[in-house]
Amino acid sequence: SKAQWMWDHFIDRLPAKATVLSPNGPYPIPRQEDGAWKVGYSWYFYDNFQDSFLVDYSICSDYLKKLVIHLGYETHPKTIIGYSQGGYASVHMAEALQNVNHIVGLGCRFKIKNPKWANDNLKIDGVHGEEDKVVQCTGAKASFNNLPAAVRGRFETFKGVGHKPNSIMLDRVQ
C-alpha cells in the first residue's frame, strides 16, 4: 500500500521522537501494477471529464481529523507529507487540523481555493519529478505558485525522475 511505501521510505528520515500516522485513503480502488491488479487506496474521487468531484476532500479531511482527535494529537505540532493523491489532499487536511506547521507534497498539485488554515506560520514545499507523466511538473509548479506567498516554501524538481519519488528526492524532504 502507499501508506506502507511512505512508512518504509520515510521512517529513517524522521526525528526519533516523532509520532507518525501513515494512513491509507479510506476508499479501496483497483489499480494495475506490474501486469496484475492490486488494491490501492484513494482519498477522493475526481471526474476529469466533468471537472467536478464525485467524492470531495471534505470526507477525507473529516476522517483524518476524527482519527487525530481519537488518538489525542489534536494540539500537537504536525507535518503532513503527502504523495500523489495524499499531496493533493494535504492542503485540505491542513484546514481541518490544528497546529499544522509544514506540508510537503510529492508528485502532486496543490489545488485549493480560498484556504482557511489556522496556522499563520504554515510552510508548504513541493517536490516533483520532471518526467512525471501522472502529474505534469508544469501544472504542479503553477499550482504551487498559486498558493498564498506567505505559505510558499520551496518547490524543487528532479531531472530524470517520474511520478515515483527516488531516494535523492526523499532526502530533500525535511
Side-chain angles (χ1 to χ4, degrees):
S1 74
K2 287 217 176 149
Q4 185 65 49
W5 185 90
M6 292 287 286
W7 175 265
D8 291 344
H9 288 84
F10 278 102
I11 192 59
D12 293 336
R13 293 172 165 84
L14 300 173
K17 293 186 179 188
T19 299
V20 179
L21 296 177
S22 185
N24 274 320
Y27 306 107
I29 186 170
R31 62 181 171 83
Q32 267 191 313
E33 185 178 306
D34 301 326
W37 285 100
K38 297 183 179 185
V39 176
Y41 295 91
S42 178
W43 287 101
Y44 59 87
F45 291 101
Y46 184 76
D47 182 341
N48 288 324
F49 300 107
Q50 299 296 320
D51 191 26
S52 65
F53 285 94
L54 301 170
V55 176
D56 70 13
Y57 297 110
S58 64
I59 295 172
C60 70
S61 296
D62 189 51
Y63 163 78
L64 191 60
K65 179 180 180 178
K66 287 178 180 175
L67 175 62
V68 167
I69 290 170
H70 174 76
L71 295 172
Y73 298 129
E74 60 266 33
T75 61
H76 291 208
K78 294 168 194 65
T79 295
I80 298 174
I81 302 171
Y83 165 58
S84 196
Q85 262 206 0
Y88 276 77
S90 66
V91 290
H92 299 278
M93 291 175 183
E95 288 184 309
L97 298 171
Q98 294 179 37
N99 211 9
V100 176
N101 300 317
H102 191 198
I103 295 172
V104 180
L106 298 106
C108 69
R109 290 184 184 190
F110 299 107
K111 288 184 162 188
I112 190 164
K113 295 177 184 173
N114 304 316
K116 295 168 184 64
W117 297 304
N119 187 349
D120 292 336
N121 296 315
L122 174 65
K123 286 294 175 213
I124 301 174
D125 294 326
V127 181
H128 212 88
E130 290 183 9
E131 309 306 318
D132 193 330
K133 303 290 186 235
V134 176
V135 180
Q136 299 295 320
C137 190
T138 53
K141 176 69 173 173
S143 74
F144 177 81
N145 288 335
N146 284 334
L147 291 170
V151 301
R152 280 189 305 235
R154 69 179 196 274
F155 187 89
E156 214 168 338
T157 61
F158 295 83
K159 292 182 187 298
V161 178
H163 189 61
K164 191 170 187 176
N166 66 12
S167 61
I168 297 168
M169 287 174 70
L170 298 177
D171 286 343
R172 291 294 203 321
V173 176
Q174 301 173 5

